[in-house]
mmCIF file of all heavy atoms in Angstrom:
data_model
loop_
_atom_site.group_PDB
_atom_site.id
_atom_site.type_symbol
_atom_site.label_atom_id
_atom_site.label_comp_id
_atom_site.label_asym_id
_atom_site.label_seq_id
_atom_site.Cartn_x
_atom_site.Cartn_y
_atom_site.Cartn_z
ATOM 1 N N LEU A 1 -3.197 -17.878 49.174
ATOM 2 C CA LEU A 1 -3.790 -16.690 48.821
ATOM 3 C C LEU A 1 -3.592 -16.389 47.342
ATOM 4 O O LEU A 1 -2.703 -17.019 46.676
ATOM 5 C CB LEU A 1 -3.164 -15.491 49.625
ATOM 6 C CG LEU A 1 -3.358 -15.421 51.085
ATOM 7 C CD1 LEU A 1 -2.497 -14.295 51.711
ATOM 8 C CD2 LEU A 1 -4.809 -15.195 51.442
ATOM 9 N N GLU A 2 -4.404 -15.496 46.782
ATOM 10 C CA GLU A 2 -4.216 -15.073 45.437
ATOM 11 C C GLU A 2 -3.650 -13.642 45.448
ATOM 12 O O GLU A 2 -4.040 -12.808 46.244
ATOM 13 C CB GLU A 2 -5.587 -15.056 44.667
ATOM 14 C CG GLU A 2 -6.050 -16.474 44.417
ATOM 15 C CD GLU A 2 -7.327 -16.483 43.605
ATOM 16 O OE1 GLU A 2 -7.996 -15.488 43.539
ATOM 17 O OE2 GLU A 2 -7.650 -17.553 43.017
ATOM 18 N N SER A 3 -2.750 -13.432 44.487
ATOM 19 C CA SER A 3 -2.113 -12.109 44.313
ATOM 20 C C SER A 3 -2.261 -11.673 42.880
ATOM 21 O O SER A 3 -1.965 -12.448 41.940
ATOM 22 C CB SER A 3 -0.650 -12.092 44.749
ATOM 23 O OG SER A 3 -0.111 -10.808 44.669
ATOM 24 N N LEU A 4 -2.772 -10.422 42.712
ATOM 25 C CA LEU A 4 -2.973 -9.973 41.304
ATOM 26 C C LEU A 4 -1.765 -9.316 40.752
ATOM 27 O O LEU A 4 -1.199 -8.316 41.293
ATOM 28 C CB LEU A 4 -4.193 -8.889 41.414
ATOM 29 C CG LEU A 4 -5.407 -9.404 42.080
ATOM 30 C CD1 LEU A 4 -6.371 -8.244 42.143
ATOM 31 C CD2 LEU A 4 -6.076 -10.572 41.328
ATOM 32 N N ASP A 5 -1.299 -9.946 39.642
ATOM 33 C CA ASP A 5 -0.231 -9.257 38.913
ATOM 34 C C ASP A 5 -0.833 -8.048 38.101
ATOM 35 O O ASP A 5 -2.075 -8.044 37.838
ATOM 36 C CB ASP A 5 0.398 -10.246 37.931
ATOM 37 C CG ASP A 5 1.274 -11.221 38.596
ATOM 38 O OD1 ASP A 5 1.485 -11.115 39.801
ATOM 39 O OD2 ASP A 5 1.828 -12.134 37.889
ATOM 40 N N PRO A 6 0.014 -7.087 37.742
ATOM 41 C CA PRO A 6 -0.551 -5.986 36.921
ATOM 42 C C PRO A 6 -1.093 -6.462 35.606
ATOM 43 O O PRO A 6 -0.613 -7.433 35.024
ATOM 44 C CB PRO A 6 0.669 -5.114 36.661
ATOM 45 C CG PRO A 6 1.674 -5.460 37.798
ATOM 46 C CD PRO A 6 1.423 -6.844 38.085
ATOM 47 N N GLU A 7 -2.186 -5.869 35.211
ATOM 48 C CA GLU A 7 -2.804 -6.284 33.886
ATOM 49 C C GLU A 7 -1.843 -6.018 32.705
ATOM 50 O O GLU A 7 -1.028 -5.043 32.783
ATOM 51 C CB GLU A 7 -4.170 -5.659 33.661
ATOM 52 C CG GLU A 7 -4.108 -4.125 33.396
ATOM 53 C CD GLU A 7 -5.441 -3.544 33.143
ATOM 54 O OE1 GLU A 7 -6.417 -3.928 33.821
ATOM 55 O OE2 GLU A 7 -5.518 -2.675 32.258
ATOM 56 N N GLU A 8 -1.911 -6.820 31.738
ATOM 57 C CA GLU A 8 -1.087 -6.655 30.591
ATOM 58 C C GLU A 8 -1.917 -6.420 29.381
ATOM 59 O O GLU A 8 -3.028 -6.967 29.219
ATOM 60 C CB GLU A 8 -0.198 -7.859 30.355
ATOM 61 C CG GLU A 8 0.683 -8.250 31.583
ATOM 62 C CD GLU A 8 1.530 -9.483 31.302
ATOM 63 O OE1 GLU A 8 2.044 -9.654 30.111
ATOM 64 O OE2 GLU A 8 1.737 -10.266 32.222
ATOM 65 N N LEU A 9 -1.433 -5.604 28.440
ATOM 66 C CA LEU A 9 -2.039 -5.241 27.169
ATOM 67 C C LEU A 9 -1.246 -5.895 26.007
ATOM 68 O O LEU A 9 -0.036 -5.636 25.882
ATOM 69 C CB LEU A 9 -2.230 -3.734 26.934
ATOM 70 C CG LEU A 9 -3.056 -3.050 28.005
ATOM 71 C CD1 LEU A 9 -3.115 -1.496 27.658
ATOM 72 C CD2 LEU A 9 -4.462 -3.513 28.039
ATOM 73 N N LEU A 10 -1.904 -6.654 25.239
ATOM 74 C CA LEU A 10 -1.255 -7.309 24.043
ATOM 75 C C LEU A 10 -2.080 -6.837 22.820
ATOM 76 O O LEU A 10 -3.242 -6.591 22.929
ATOM 77 C CB LEU A 10 -1.303 -8.859 24.200
ATOM 78 C CG LEU A 10 -0.650 -9.396 25.411
ATOM 79 C CD1 LEU A 10 -0.842 -10.891 25.428
ATOM 80 C CD2 LEU A 10 0.843 -9.102 25.463
ATOM 81 N N TYR A 11 -1.386 -6.864 21.718
ATOM 82 C CA TYR A 11 -2.020 -6.349 20.444
ATOM 83 C C TYR A 11 -1.892 -7.334 19.340
ATOM 84 O O TYR A 11 -0.938 -8.159 19.224
ATOM 85 C CB TYR A 11 -1.360 -4.974 20.030
ATOM 86 C CG TYR A 11 -1.532 -3.961 21.171
ATOM 87 C CD1 TYR A 11 -0.431 -3.825 22.063
ATOM 88 C CD2 TYR A 11 -2.676 -3.211 21.281
ATOM 89 C CE1 TYR A 11 -0.534 -2.815 23.076
ATOM 90 C CE2 TYR A 11 -2.729 -2.263 22.294
ATOM 91 C CZ TYR A 11 -1.706 -2.065 23.215
ATOM 92 O OH TYR A 11 -1.801 -1.175 24.154
ATOM 93 N N ALA A 12 -2.901 -7.370 18.530
ATOM 94 C CA ALA A 12 -2.891 -8.164 17.271
ATOM 95 C C ALA A 12 -3.563 -7.358 16.218
ATOM 96 O O ALA A 12 -4.267 -6.371 16.429
ATOM 97 C CB ALA A 12 -3.657 -9.459 17.533
ATOM 98 N N GLU A 13 -3.310 -7.763 14.920
ATOM 99 C CA GLU A 13 -3.915 -7.050 13.787
ATOM 100 C C GLU A 13 -4.603 -8.127 12.884
ATOM 101 O O GLU A 13 -3.969 -9.123 12.524
ATOM 102 C CB GLU A 13 -2.907 -6.244 12.961
ATOM 103 C CG GLU A 13 -3.534 -5.494 11.874
ATOM 104 C CD GLU A 13 -2.527 -4.711 10.994
ATOM 105 O OE1 GLU A 13 -1.486 -5.302 10.634
ATOM 106 O OE2 GLU A 13 -2.818 -3.516 10.694
ATOM 107 N N VAL A 14 -5.803 -7.819 12.580
ATOM 108 C CA VAL A 14 -6.487 -8.606 11.549
ATOM 109 C C VAL A 14 -6.226 -7.918 10.216
ATOM 110 O O VAL A 14 -6.573 -6.749 10.036
ATOM 111 C CB VAL A 14 -8.026 -8.701 11.867
ATOM 112 C CG1 VAL A 14 -8.743 -9.400 10.730
ATOM 113 C CG2 VAL A 14 -8.213 -9.395 13.116
ATOM 114 N N ARG A 15 -5.717 -8.679 9.254
ATOM 115 C CA ARG A 15 -5.419 -8.073 7.940
ATOM 116 C C ARG A 15 -5.931 -9.086 6.985
ATOM 117 O O ARG A 15 -5.253 -10.131 6.752
ATOM 118 C CB ARG A 15 -4.023 -7.729 7.800
ATOM 119 C CG ARG A 15 -3.618 -7.068 6.480
ATOM 120 C CD ARG A 15 -2.239 -6.607 6.519
ATOM 121 N NE ARG A 15 -1.814 -5.925 5.210
ATOM 122 C CZ ARG A 15 -0.710 -5.300 5.026
ATOM 123 N NH1 ARG A 15 0.222 -5.283 5.966
ATOM 124 N NH2 ARG A 15 -0.480 -4.719 3.886
ATOM 125 N N GLU A 16 -7.057 -8.863 6.266
ATOM 126 C CA GLU A 16 -7.643 -9.838 5.410
ATOM 127 C C GLU A 16 -8.130 -9.161 4.083
ATOM 128 O O GLU A 16 -8.512 -8.006 4.053
ATOM 129 C CB GLU A 16 -8.897 -10.466 6.071
ATOM 130 C CG GLU A 16 -8.617 -11.144 7.325
ATOM 131 C CD GLU A 16 -7.925 -12.524 7.084
ATOM 132 O OE1 GLU A 16 -7.917 -12.977 5.947
ATOM 133 O OE2 GLU A 16 -7.420 -13.089 8.132
ATOM 134 N N THR A 17 -7.984 -9.893 3.045
ATOM 135 C CA THR A 17 -8.492 -9.505 1.744
ATOM 136 C C THR A 17 -9.841 -10.178 1.461
ATOM 137 O O THR A 17 -9.959 -11.415 1.595
ATOM 138 C CB THR A 17 -7.507 -9.867 0.579
ATOM 139 O OG1 THR A 17 -6.266 -9.206 0.805
ATOM 140 C CG2 THR A 17 -8.049 -9.486 -0.756
ATOM 141 N N ILE A 18 -10.809 -9.372 1.104
ATOM 142 C CA ILE A 18 -12.172 -9.838 0.821
ATOM 143 C C ILE A 18 -12.421 -9.829 -0.657
ATOM 144 O O ILE A 18 -12.452 -8.723 -1.273
ATOM 145 C CB ILE A 18 -13.237 -9.039 1.583
ATOM 146 C CG1 ILE A 18 -12.956 -9.098 3.092
ATOM 147 C CG2 ILE A 18 -14.623 -9.574 1.303
ATOM 148 C CD1 ILE A 18 -13.789 -8.143 3.891
ATOM 149 N N ASP A 19 -12.538 -11.021 -1.317
ATOM 150 C CA ASP A 19 -12.706 -11.033 -2.740
ATOM 151 C C ASP A 19 -14.171 -10.979 -3.082
ATOM 152 O O ASP A 19 -14.975 -11.817 -2.707
ATOM 153 C CB ASP A 19 -12.085 -12.315 -3.292
ATOM 154 C CG ASP A 19 -12.047 -12.411 -4.786
ATOM 155 O OD1 ASP A 19 -12.663 -11.543 -5.404
ATOM 156 O OD2 ASP A 19 -11.485 -13.332 -5.334
ATOM 157 N N LEU A 20 -14.608 -9.964 -3.741
ATOM 158 C CA LEU A 20 -15.972 -9.727 -4.099
ATOM 159 C C LEU A 20 -16.201 -9.977 -5.638
ATOM 160 O O LEU A 20 -17.320 -9.780 -6.160
ATOM 161 C CB LEU A 20 -16.538 -8.327 -3.727
ATOM 162 C CG LEU A 20 -16.425 -8.027 -2.259
ATOM 163 C CD1 LEU A 20 -16.780 -6.533 -1.973
ATOM 164 C CD2 LEU A 20 -17.363 -8.976 -1.452
ATOM 165 N N GLY A 21 -15.144 -10.402 -6.353
ATOM 166 C CA GLY A 21 -15.305 -10.680 -7.730
ATOM 167 C C GLY A 21 -15.325 -9.450 -8.626
ATOM 168 O O GLY A 21 -15.620 -9.620 -9.865
ATOM 169 N N GLY A 22 -15.083 -8.296 -8.084
ATOM 170 C CA GLY A 22 -15.089 -7.126 -8.871
ATOM 171 C C GLY A 22 -14.774 -5.843 -7.986
ATOM 172 O O GLY A 22 -14.745 -5.978 -6.733
ATOM 173 N N PRO A 23 -14.549 -4.725 -8.588
ATOM 174 C CA PRO A 23 -14.210 -3.561 -7.832
ATOM 175 C C PRO A 23 -15.364 -2.963 -7.040
ATOM 176 O O PRO A 23 -16.474 -3.207 -7.346
ATOM 177 C CB PRO A 23 -13.746 -2.585 -8.928
ATOM 178 C CG PRO A 23 -14.445 -2.967 -10.133
ATOM 179 C CD PRO A 23 -14.589 -4.506 -10.025
ATOM 180 N N VAL A 24 -14.955 -2.270 -5.984
ATOM 181 C CA VAL A 24 -15.869 -1.543 -5.162
ATOM 182 C C VAL A 24 -15.728 0.006 -5.387
ATOM 183 O O VAL A 24 -14.607 0.447 -5.453
ATOM 184 C CB VAL A 24 -15.760 -1.904 -3.691
ATOM 185 C CG1 VAL A 24 -16.464 -0.940 -2.714
ATOM 186 C CG2 VAL A 24 -16.130 -3.309 -3.391
ATOM 187 N N LEU A 25 -16.832 0.653 -5.491
ATOM 188 C CA LEU A 25 -16.758 2.107 -5.783
ATOM 189 C C LEU A 25 -16.281 2.881 -4.479
ATOM 190 O O LEU A 25 -15.403 3.715 -4.553
ATOM 191 C CB LEU A 25 -18.111 2.647 -6.256
ATOM 192 C CG LEU A 25 -18.063 4.053 -6.875
ATOM 193 C CD1 LEU A 25 -17.183 4.117 -8.092
ATOM 194 C CD2 LEU A 25 -19.507 4.417 -7.297
ATOM 195 N N ARG A 26 -16.934 2.584 -3.353
ATOM 196 C CA ARG A 26 -16.582 3.236 -2.127
ATOM 197 C C ARG A 26 -17.225 2.481 -0.960
ATOM 198 O O ARG A 26 -18.199 1.779 -1.135
ATOM 199 C CB ARG A 26 -16.963 4.767 -2.076
ATOM 200 C CG ARG A 26 -18.448 4.986 -2.335
ATOM 201 C CD ARG A 26 -18.714 6.481 -2.373
ATOM 202 N NE ARG A 26 -20.061 6.736 -2.935
ATOM 203 C CZ ARG A 26 -20.364 6.817 -4.207
ATOM 204 N NH1 ARG A 26 -19.405 6.625 -5.090
ATOM 205 N NH2 ARG A 26 -21.600 7.028 -4.569
ATOM 206 N N VAL A 27 -16.639 2.673 0.215
ATOM 207 C CA VAL A 27 -17.121 2.123 1.437
ATOM 208 C C VAL A 27 -17.894 3.105 2.207
ATOM 209 O O VAL A 27 -17.501 4.332 2.367
ATOM 210 C CB VAL A 27 -15.954 1.552 2.324
ATOM 211 C CG1 VAL A 27 -16.481 1.175 3.680
ATOM 212 C CG2 VAL A 27 -15.221 0.418 1.637
ATOM 213 N N ILE A 28 -19.104 2.788 2.677
ATOM 214 C CA ILE A 28 -19.943 3.627 3.391
ATOM 215 C C ILE A 28 -19.817 3.592 4.898
ATOM 216 O O ILE A 28 -19.745 4.592 5.547
ATOM 217 C CB ILE A 28 -21.517 3.367 3.029
ATOM 218 C CG1 ILE A 28 -21.646 3.520 1.505
ATOM 219 C CG2 ILE A 28 -22.339 4.275 3.876
ATOM 220 C CD1 ILE A 28 -21.521 4.915 1.057
ATOM 221 N N ASN A 29 -19.673 2.350 5.422
ATOM 222 C CA ASN A 29 -19.750 2.121 6.872
ATOM 223 C C ASN A 29 -19.160 0.749 7.202
ATOM 224 O O ASN A 29 -19.215 -0.101 6.379
ATOM 225 C CB ASN A 29 -21.173 2.336 7.413
ATOM 226 C CG ASN A 29 -21.138 2.613 8.867
ATOM 227 O OD1 ASN A 29 -21.597 1.748 9.678
ATOM 228 N ND2 ASN A 29 -20.682 3.792 9.273
ATOM 229 N N SER A 30 -18.703 0.623 8.405
ATOM 230 C CA SER A 30 -18.275 -0.661 8.876
ATOM 231 C C SER A 30 -18.469 -0.818 10.365
ATOM 232 O O SER A 30 -18.571 0.226 11.102
ATOM 233 C CB SER A 30 -16.746 -0.906 8.527
ATOM 234 O OG SER A 30 -15.930 0.006 9.289
ATOM 235 N N SER A 31 -18.465 -1.997 10.873
ATOM 236 C CA SER A 31 -18.541 -2.245 12.329
ATOM 237 C C SER A 31 -17.849 -3.568 12.637
ATOM 238 O O SER A 31 -17.662 -4.394 11.721
ATOM 239 C CB SER A 31 -20.017 -2.303 12.842
ATOM 240 O OG SER A 31 -20.687 -3.286 12.210
ATOM 241 N N ALA A 32 -17.457 -3.744 13.884
ATOM 242 C CA ALA A 32 -16.687 -4.982 14.239
ATOM 243 C C ALA A 32 -17.083 -5.379 15.668
ATOM 244 O O ALA A 32 -17.235 -4.517 16.563
ATOM 245 C CB ALA A 32 -15.197 -4.734 14.096
ATOM 246 N N TYR A 33 -17.127 -6.716 15.902
ATOM 247 C CA TYR A 33 -17.317 -7.247 17.264
ATOM 248 C C TYR A 33 -16.329 -8.296 17.486
ATOM 249 O O TYR A 33 -15.809 -8.974 16.546
ATOM 250 C CB TYR A 33 -18.734 -7.887 17.254
ATOM 251 C CG TYR A 33 -19.914 -6.952 17.072
ATOM 252 C CD1 TYR A 33 -20.476 -6.768 15.846
ATOM 253 C CD2 TYR A 33 -20.467 -6.301 18.138
ATOM 254 C CE1 TYR A 33 -21.492 -5.981 15.523
ATOM 255 C CE2 TYR A 33 -21.531 -5.395 17.954
ATOM 256 C CZ TYR A 33 -22.056 -5.253 16.689
ATOM 257 O OH TYR A 33 -23.085 -4.441 16.490
ATOM 258 N N THR A 34 -15.930 -8.447 18.779
ATOM 259 C CA THR A 34 -15.025 -9.516 19.158
ATOM 260 C C THR A 34 -15.726 -10.464 20.126
ATOM 261 O O THR A 34 -16.542 -10.031 20.964
ATOM 262 C CB THR A 34 -13.731 -8.951 19.816
ATOM 263 O OG1 THR A 34 -14.145 -8.069 20.880
ATOM 264 C CG2 THR A 34 -12.957 -8.267 18.790
ATOM 265 N N GLY A 35 -15.403 -11.779 19.999
ATOM 266 C CA GLY A 35 -16.059 -12.777 20.757
ATOM 267 C C GLY A 35 -15.239 -13.096 22.098
ATOM 268 O O GLY A 35 -14.365 -12.351 22.456
ATOM 269 N N ARG A 36 -15.635 -14.207 22.665
ATOM 270 C CA ARG A 36 -14.900 -14.568 23.851
ATOM 271 C C ARG A 36 -13.455 -14.991 23.595
ATOM 272 O O ARG A 36 -13.191 -15.578 22.549
ATOM 273 C CB ARG A 36 -15.621 -15.862 24.437
ATOM 274 C CG ARG A 36 -15.116 -16.397 25.698
ATOM 275 C CD ARG A 36 -15.861 -17.643 26.099
ATOM 276 N NE ARG A 36 -15.369 -18.184 27.401
ATOM 277 C CZ ARG A 36 -15.703 -19.345 27.863
ATOM 278 N NH1 ARG A 36 -16.570 -20.111 27.136
ATOM 279 N NH2 ARG A 36 -15.190 -19.830 28.969
ATOM 280 N N VAL A 37 -12.582 -14.654 24.484
ATOM 281 C CA VAL A 37 -11.146 -15.004 24.304
ATOM 282 C C VAL A 37 -10.831 -16.383 24.786
ATOM 283 O O VAL A 37 -11.254 -16.762 25.924
ATOM 284 C CB VAL A 37 -10.200 -13.991 25.050
ATOM 285 C CG1 VAL A 37 -8.772 -14.442 24.900
ATOM 286 C CG2 VAL A 37 -10.337 -12.561 24.391
ATOM 287 N N GLN A 38 -10.242 -17.236 23.930
ATOM 288 C CA GLN A 38 -9.831 -18.583 24.337
ATOM 289 C C GLN A 38 -8.346 -18.587 24.586
ATOM 290 O O GLN A 38 -7.577 -17.988 23.769
ATOM 291 C CB GLN A 38 -10.206 -19.585 23.195
ATOM 292 C CG GLN A 38 -11.624 -19.631 22.829
ATOM 293 C CD GLN A 38 -12.500 -20.281 23.840
ATOM 294 O OE1 GLN A 38 -12.014 -20.986 24.687
ATOM 295 N NE2 GLN A 38 -13.794 -20.105 23.752
ATOM 296 N N ILE A 39 -7.921 -19.209 25.663
ATOM 297 C CA ILE A 39 -6.494 -19.278 26.075
ATOM 298 C C ILE A 39 -6.059 -20.720 26.054
ATOM 299 O O ILE A 39 -6.680 -21.568 26.714
ATOM 300 C CB ILE A 39 -6.231 -18.640 27.410
ATOM 301 C CG1 ILE A 39 -6.760 -17.197 27.457
ATOM 302 C CG2 ILE A 39 -4.756 -18.681 27.762
ATOM 303 C CD1 ILE A 39 -6.602 -16.502 28.779
ATOM 304 N N THR A 40 -5.030 -20.992 25.218
ATOM 305 C CA THR A 40 -4.501 -22.391 25.124
ATOM 306 C C THR A 40 -2.985 -22.343 25.295
ATOM 307 O O THR A 40 -2.345 -21.332 25.047
ATOM 308 C CB THR A 40 -4.798 -23.075 23.804
ATOM 309 O OG1 THR A 40 -4.300 -22.255 22.719
ATOM 310 C CG2 THR A 40 -6.386 -23.165 23.592
ATOM 311 N N GLN A 41 -2.472 -23.465 25.735
ATOM 312 C CA GLN A 41 -1.021 -23.506 25.930
ATOM 313 C C GLN A 41 -0.415 -24.298 24.698
ATOM 314 O O GLN A 41 -0.804 -25.405 24.448
ATOM 315 C CB GLN A 41 -0.681 -24.281 27.202
ATOM 316 C CG GLN A 41 0.802 -24.334 27.496
ATOM 317 C CD GLN A 41 1.086 -25.058 28.855
ATOM 318 O OE1 GLN A 41 0.213 -25.344 29.592
ATOM 319 N NE2 GLN A 41 2.377 -25.346 29.080
ATOM 320 N N GLU A 42 0.523 -23.675 24.047
ATOM 321 C CA GLU A 42 1.154 -24.227 22.836
ATOM 322 C C GLU A 42 2.641 -23.966 22.878
ATOM 323 O O GLU A 42 3.068 -22.816 22.811
ATOM 324 C CB GLU A 42 0.494 -23.668 21.594
ATOM 325 C CG GLU A 42 -1.036 -23.946 21.463
ATOM 326 C CD GLU A 42 -1.637 -23.280 20.287
ATOM 327 O OE1 GLU A 42 -0.829 -22.908 19.289
ATOM 328 O OE2 GLU A 42 -2.876 -23.150 20.218
ATOM 329 N N GLY A 43 3.417 -25.009 23.020
ATOM 330 C CA GLY A 43 4.869 -24.914 22.981
ATOM 331 C C GLY A 43 5.440 -23.914 23.946
ATOM 332 O O GLY A 43 6.357 -23.148 23.677
ATOM 333 N N GLY A 44 4.979 -23.988 25.231
ATOM 334 C CA GLY A 44 5.509 -23.138 26.275
ATOM 335 C C GLY A 44 4.936 -21.762 26.253
ATOM 336 O O GLY A 44 5.344 -20.861 27.088
ATOM 337 N N LYS A 45 4.064 -21.476 25.313
ATOM 338 C CA LYS A 45 3.490 -20.070 25.174
ATOM 339 C C LYS A 45 1.985 -20.228 25.489
ATOM 340 O O LYS A 45 1.375 -21.236 25.294
ATOM 341 C CB LYS A 45 3.636 -19.513 23.775
ATOM 342 C CG LYS A 45 5.092 -19.250 23.394
ATOM 343 C CD LYS A 45 5.608 -17.940 23.913
ATOM 344 C CE LYS A 45 6.937 -17.557 23.246
ATOM 345 N NZ LYS A 45 7.393 -16.206 23.742
ATOM 346 N N LEU A 46 1.433 -19.074 25.877
ATOM 347 C CA LEU A 46 -0.030 -19.047 26.015
ATOM 348 C C LEU A 46 -0.515 -18.281 24.735
ATOM 349 O O LEU A 46 -0.007 -17.174 24.406
ATOM 350 C CB LEU A 46 -0.495 -18.208 27.242
ATOM 351 C CG LEU A 46 -0.228 -18.910 28.639
ATOM 352 C CD1 LEU A 46 -0.649 -17.953 29.720
ATOM 353 C CD2 LEU A 46 -0.983 -20.267 28.656
ATOM 354 N N VAL A 47 -1.423 -18.927 24.066
ATOM 355 C CA VAL A 47 -1.935 -18.352 22.834
ATOM 356 C C VAL A 47 -3.372 -17.854 23.058
ATOM 357 O O VAL A 47 -4.197 -18.616 23.529
ATOM 358 C CB VAL A 47 -1.970 -19.367 21.675
ATOM 359 C CG1 VAL A 47 -2.512 -18.724 20.377
ATOM 360 C CG2 VAL A 47 -0.527 -19.871 21.412
ATOM 361 N N LEU A 48 -3.579 -16.588 22.750
ATOM 362 C CA LEU A 48 -4.883 -15.965 22.980
ATOM 363 C C LEU A 48 -5.567 -15.808 21.621
ATOM 364 O O LEU A 48 -5.020 -15.183 20.717
ATOM 365 C CB LEU A 48 -4.750 -14.573 23.694
ATOM 366 C CG LEU A 48 -4.453 -14.632 25.163
ATOM 367 C CD1 LEU A 48 -3.042 -15.053 25.386
ATOM 368 C CD2 LEU A 48 -4.665 -13.223 25.758
#
């Protein structure tokens, strides 16, 4: 049989510098999308 464990929430942060070759006056708007999650086994851990 299959038994469902409670769902788990994990968190990560994307922190990146975008070099545009010069200063920006202001930001008007932004949006973000996330793709499919890939799960691999690395060193006894599951990496998402």
Side-chain angles (χ1 to χ4, degrees):
L1 293 173
E2 292 184 340
S3 184
L4 306 174
D5 286 357
E7 69 178 42
E8 300 181 39
L9 298 179
L10 305 174
Y11 302 95
E13 184 183 44
V14 175
R15 185 171 180 173
E16 299 286 346
T17 299
I18 302 172
D19 189 352
L20 298 175
V24 168
L25 194 60
R26 55 187 169 273
V27 172
I28 301 294
N29 199 250
S30 67
S31 59
Y33 299 93
T34 52
R36 183 184 179 191
V37 174
Q38 303 285 345
I39 304 177
T40 57
Q41 183 176 352
E42 299 177 17
K45 296 275 189 178
L46 291 178
V47 179
L48 287 69

